[in-house]
Amino acid sequence: MTNKEILSGNEAFARGAHEAGVRVASAYPGTPSTEILENIVRYPEIDASWAPNEKVALEVAIGASFGGGRALACMKHVGVNVAADPLFTLSYTGVGGGLALIVADDPEMHSSQDEQDSRNYARFAKVPMLEPADSQECLDFTRLAFELSEQFDTPVMLRSCTRISHGKSIVQPGEPVSGLPEPKLVKNPAKLVMLPGNARVRHPLVEERTVKLSQYGDTAAINSMELRSTEIGIICAGVTWQYVREALPEASTLKLGMVWPLPEKLIRDFAAKIKRLFVVEELDPFIEEQVKAMGIAVTGKEIISRCGELSPGRIREAFSKIGLAEAIHELPLQQTMSLPPRPPNMCPGCPHRGVFYELNRLKAYVTGDIGCYTLGFMPPLNAMDTCVCMGASISNASGIVRVLPPEEQRKVVAVIGDSTFLHTGINSLMEMAWNKSPATVIILDNRITAMTGRQENPASGFTLNSDVAPEVNIPELCRTLGIRYVQVLDPYDLEATHAALQEEMNRPEPSVLITNRPCCLIKGADRFEKGAVLEVDQGNCTGCKACLRIGCPAIEWKPDSENKKGKAFIDANLCTGCTVCQQLCKFNAIGRKK
Amino acid sequence: MSSAITNILLVGVGGQGILLASEILSEAFMLAGYDVKKSEIHGMSQRGGSVVSHVRFGTQVFSPVVPEGEGDIMFGFELLETSRYLSLLRPGATVVVNDFKILPPAVLLGQAVYPEGLADSIRTAFPDTLLVDGQRLAIEAGDLRAANTALLGAVSKRLAITDDIWRQALEKMVPRKALEINLMAFQMGRDLKG
Ligand SMILES: Cc1ncc(C[n+]2csc(CCOP(=O)(O)OP(=O)(O)O)c2C)c(N)n1
């Protein structure tokens, strides 16, 4: 038997996939789900790869499942929006080899644009959903998900969240399953071709399946009733169960390992044993509303917020307000000083920085997108005006120009990263070219998916396993989509960037600018190379602060006590020699470090 | 209720090696036979933002996050970030803090000042505060990047874990070629007085 290990939820999901005999795993990165696939790479028997987006990832997994292999897809919560189309129909077709979809929610929006609750997708798509409460359960539930998938002929969703995926706890790994059937082609069009006639046959089976799964849940070990004091009983699941156990150690709990469909009989049994029943759940009143619909009296969102993460403290506070827990003692230290905040920032040498500096100078109206470059919104760059979802920058620009007078149309610039462009931006650019929207698009091609921790993408030249791969030629692709004006530019050259932007903004026709500097965190041949480190000549520095306007973390302003103007300094450990600050200095004060 | 659990918070700035330090800590507690849980937010934090990692150990640990006001030990990699999260600690908690400043954006731009006297104010609120020059120890050990393990060495004295277990945890978690320097930095931190 293998030794115990401390694993993150994501590492444990990967281990679970290995033990379950998964053949194919596909995903698109997204915090906090990204490391599942990155860890699956250590199990060479699994064919694991990044897909350009979540819809494609799920469809790759569906194909592998139809071929008879066990298949896994992983994504963050908003990824399911993109993958929803295949998901809903997959619910009708059912599976060949077992199929699991791991979705990682982000209550509190630590790194997301919304905190949608993916349990709603399970009910909406009529697909069972398991919710692990620690890393051991991430492993065990992944194994179980594949068994249930094959037993009930259904995809199974596994719901994680930031605290589960990025939390670590002790895991006892198990032995991989053996004796799974060999994948092969089996024709079954009545089940797999979802035309109306076939789908009408499948839908009632899906409804029956839900009833059977609910009955399974009544006795399944993953739904467990723990009776302690019968004064208070709490229905909860996942990491929230951990918080409840800590905040209210005396309370009885019904811990649900399967959060959809709910085990109605078990819930009724539990309710009958308890004086006051509660549901404690993060985000939506998902369990609570269903318990209420069973006609059972229960308290939930009356005392627990629908917004943000829970914690033992928040739960104890909610119960102390209704007199069911001791009040929390005063915190020992109230912060009296106001401390300067420390928001994330683009790295020193980031190729995105100069582009936003010039967009700001040109007073562009920037329809933004999601990636490291969204930080261009922050001061002092202040050069982003909208950001909705991946790919939206281009289509938002295309739409906004249609309501604007020509002199305002010129100001509209869409900014999008390479990974995001390939994810869903392509469709938007197709639309822009097709319908001749006179906006400018900048593709910030830093040759990597930087935001989520530097994953390869279809234009980066490598696969998940670091194998050399064909590279999408982004300029040619844009031309093929019908864009007549496509220019590649060096974002470290401010003058050229300014000129190109001005030229394309003035053009009453769609055009695309593509930057060509790699992310400064990717190393290796043909990728980022550090330039000569720069320094400020203190004799020449006049303290004009021009170099501060790019917000580079390597440049520090030190006020000078004698002459109030102060001077700039460059931190040689941080400077990458990108020269953007040097180009801003009119007094020749910035040069190579001697 | 949580008296059987020890709550450690590691705070600082993205890129300071906080995650590795918390991995080594967790590994050591597991090797010592405890239940361990650890939680942190990494996403935006990689880009120079503030980072908090929670490590909890005891006979049985439920929540992966330290309840507010119940932190027993604060392991601070940077003065401002240490000050920012002091409210997570219980009265009388221990603070081991790196005597080191990383200026946040507004300070770099000259729009805000880095507060003076943070070490003193931390010590006033938490008398059991140890100020460590992690950077100096790391340079003495041979590599500035080992500052996190030097600090970990200083923290290690407050925890009932044997030399042998610390060594095993470091050997497991630190990349081979950096191991020797990190073991040395750890020992220098561990040998500090106070
Ligand atoms: C539908 C969806 N999937 C995944 C994510 C997570 N995510 C945010 S930005 C991003 C990609 C950023 O890469 P790129 O566009 O190349 O910009 P960079 O960060 O490299 O500047 C990803 C995967 C998301 N926000 N939405």
Side-chain angles (χ1 to χ4, degrees), chain A residues 28-31 54 76 78-79 82 113 352 370-373 390 416-421 423 444 446 448-452 457:
Chain A
Y28 181 72
T31 315
E54 292 86 352
K76 71 181 290 170
V78 287
V82 180
Q113 67 268 39
H352 300 337
I370 308 190
C372 285
Y373 49 92
M390 288 188 74
I416 188 166
D418 49 335
S419 188
T420 303
F421 175 64
H423 175 274
L444 298 170
N446 60 357
I448 207 84
T449 313
M451 181 73 190
T452 40
N457 68 47

Side-chain angles (χ1 to χ4, degrees), chain A residues 4-6 11 31 35 110-111 133-134 162-163 166-171 239 241-243 245-249 309-313 316 328-335 337-347 372 375 379-380 450-454 521 545 548-549 551-558 573, chain B residues 1-2 5 7 12-13 23 26-28 30 34-50 54 56 60-70 78 80-81 83-87 89-91 102-116 118 121 125-126 144 172-173:
Chain A
K4 284 188 178 173
E5 284 181 69
I6 302 185
E11 289 168 323
T31 315
E35 301 82 6
H110 295 288
S111 34
D134 60 18
T162 303
R163 296 295 175 185
H166 287 175
K168 289 203 165 191
S169 58
I170 298 177
V171 172
V239 74
W241 175 79
Q242 309 279 9
Y243 301 152
R245 288 293 294 117
E246 179 132 356
L248 306 162
E309 269 184 329
L310 294 180
S311 66
R316 208 176 306 153
I328 301 185
H329 49 83
E330 276 298 299
L331 295 179
L333 195 93
Q334 296 304 332
Q335 200 66 59
M337 256 185 293
S338 79
L339 301 174
R342 194 184 299 274
N345 195 351
M346 288 177 195
C347 305
C372 285
L375 295 170
M451 181 73 190
T452 40
R454 301 185 296 284
L521 297 179
K545 294 190 174 180
L548 296 179
R549 277 186 245 140
C552 176
I555 307 178
E556 179 190 350
W557 172 258
K558 285 191 190 155
N573 289 319
Chain B
M1 112 209 45
S2 53
I5 297 175
N7 294 314
V13 178
E23 305 267 299
S26 315
E27 188 70 26
M30 184 182 76
Y34 292 107
D35 188 19
V36 192
K37 282 203 176 141
K38 164 176 135 85
S39 176
E40 68 238 339
I41 301 303
H42 39 92
M44 299 291 271
S45 54
Q46 286 173 345
R47 278 146 212 89
S50 109
H54 305 233
R56 315 186 71 203
Q60 187 183 14
V61 182
F62 289 111
S63 163
V65 283
V66 174
E68 269 200 25
E70 292 186 18
E78 200 270 351
L80 179 60
E81 295 316 305
S83 306
R84 198 187 304 285
Y85 295 105
L86 289 177
S87 67
L89 296 177
R90 66 165 166 77
I102 299 178
L103 307 184
V107 174
L108 290 173
L109 296 176
Q111 293 162 353
V113 287
Y114 193 99
E116 289 293 322
L118 288 179
S121 69
F126 296 92
L144 188 56
K172 172 139 188 232
M173 306 312 301

Side-chain angles (χ1 to χ4, degrees), chain B residues 15-17 20 135 138-139 142-150 178 181-182:
Chain B
Q16 283 194 288
L20 179 63
Q135 261 58 23
I139 291 168
D143 191 336
L144 188 56
R145 283 171 298 182
N148 56 349
T149 33
I181 286 178
N182 278 282

